[in-house]
Amino acid sequence: MLKKRILIANYLTIRILFGAANGIRTRDPQLGKLMLYQLSYCRISKTESKDISNTLVEQLKRYAIMKQAGVIKAVSRKLKVGSINDKNELNRNLVKPYPIGKIEVDKITRKDVADWLDELKANGIGETRRKGAYNLLTDYYNNYYCIEIDVNFISPATGFKFDTKKSKADPMKILDNSETKHYLKLCEEMGEEADVLQFILYMYCRA
């Protein structure tokens, strides 16, 4: 079933590259790389495919390709090439180097996910990056594996919380007290012409 979907993804990508429906042809180098990556899977033997495709790293790569081709039932829109590159970067740097990346997707447990997130944190990976990497798993399991592969499988990537709230900008981090005073003094010397500059400063301080 997965092999068939990959072949469909290859076909759709070739259409995008060499003859879009609107008559416009594209030579996008990123799409070209994507197509070559997809076609490389067609050369994998059945034995190799079984050994490789079930690992989390390889499944995430294939999932990104299938989303770009628009063959995932639960995802209504195609994934743009830029988004694929971002997801592959997270997969390459935050999943592949860790033990969880080598585990088959149907063998991963919540403990594996928890240990992975703890290790990312211990290695100094920021909260936003950790959540982005974690979202790769939630997206894969919730929108694909638990729907199209095994409906009885319970996603191991659920229930983890992240504190990624953005704090309000502190204007003093840009201008300290002495610099602010100097700025206002210059505005006074400029007279009415500097009214807009003072207005901008005051509005920024209120943000």
Side-chain angles (χ1 to χ4, degrees):
M1 184 68 178
L2 184 58
K3 184 80 170 180
K4 181 179 180 181
R5 290 188 177 279
I6 294 299
L7 291 174
I8 293 173
N10 289 337
Y11 170 73
L12 292 175
T13 303
I14 291 171
R15 285 198 63 188
I16 293 172
L17 284 168
F18 300 108
N22 59 6
I24 300 175
R25 295 175 181 270
T26 178
R27 291 292 184 270
D28 189 320
Q30 294 301 323
L31 281 176
K33 292 178 182 178
L34 178 63
M35 185 192 72
L36 291 175
Y37 179 78
Q38 286 178 268
L39 292 177
S40 68
Y41 275 105
C42 293
R43 303 188 186 98
I44 298 175
S45 67
K46 291 183 179 180
T47 302
E48 290 173 326
S49 178
K50 184 178 185 304
D51 293 338
I52 295 174
S53 65
N54 284 339
T55 63
L56 179 62
V57 167
E58 294 302 322
Q59 279 285 12
L60 290 178
K61 289 179 183 178
R62 285 188 169 185
Y63 180 59
I65 291 172
M66 294 169 74
K67 284 183 70 176
Q68 195 280 331
V71 297
I72 303 298
K73 295 178 182 178
V75 181
S76 58
R77 61 177 181 174
K78 295 181 181 180
L79 196 66
K80 295 181 179 179
V81 174
S83 296
I84 288 180
N85 292 338
D86 292 341
K87 292 180 183 299
N88 283 340
E89 184 274 326
L90 288 172
N91 187 22
R92 182 172 60 252
N93 294 317
L94 301 185
V95 179
K96 186 177 181 179
Y98 296 87
I100 194 172
K102 301 174 180 65
I103 303 175
E104 294 184 352
V105 292
D106 59 337
K107 303 287 195 306
I108 293 176
T109 65
R110 280 181 56 80
K111 184 180 184 303
D112 294 324
V113 177
D115 291 344
W116 168 59
L117 293 175
D118 288 342
E119 193 171 358
L120 288 177
K121 186 174 183 179
N123 288 343
I125 306 301
E127 193 86 354
T128 301
R129 291 270 291 166
R130 293 203 307 275
K131 187 175 189 301
Y134 172 76
N135 286 344
L136 294 179
L137 276 67
T138 59
D139 181 19
Y140 171 77
Y141 282 107
N142 295 341
N143 292 326
Y144 178 62
Y145 192 86
C146 295
I147 294 178
E148 299 189 33
I149 304 299
D150 186 353
V151 295
N152 296 316
F153 189 82
I154 299 175
S155 171
T158 55
F160 294 89
K161 303 296 182 183
F162 297 85
D163 183 15
T164 56
K165 293 181 180 178
K166 295 182 179 180
S167 59
K168 290 186 177 181
D170 182 357
M172 294 302 104
K173 291 182 180 179
I174 299 175
L175 296 176
D176 58 27
N177 290 338
S178 62
E179 291 171 334
T180 301
K181 290 179 181 178
H182 183 63
Y183 180 91
L184 292 174
K185 182 179 180 181
L186 291 176
C187 288
E188 290 177 0
E189 293 176 357
M190 292 176 64
E192 294 181 356
E193 295 178 356
D195 287 348
V196 66
L197 297 178
Q198 293 188 59
F199 176 76
I200 291 173
L201 176 63
Y202 295 143
M203 291 300 294
Y204 183 76
C205 288
R206 291 180 59 187

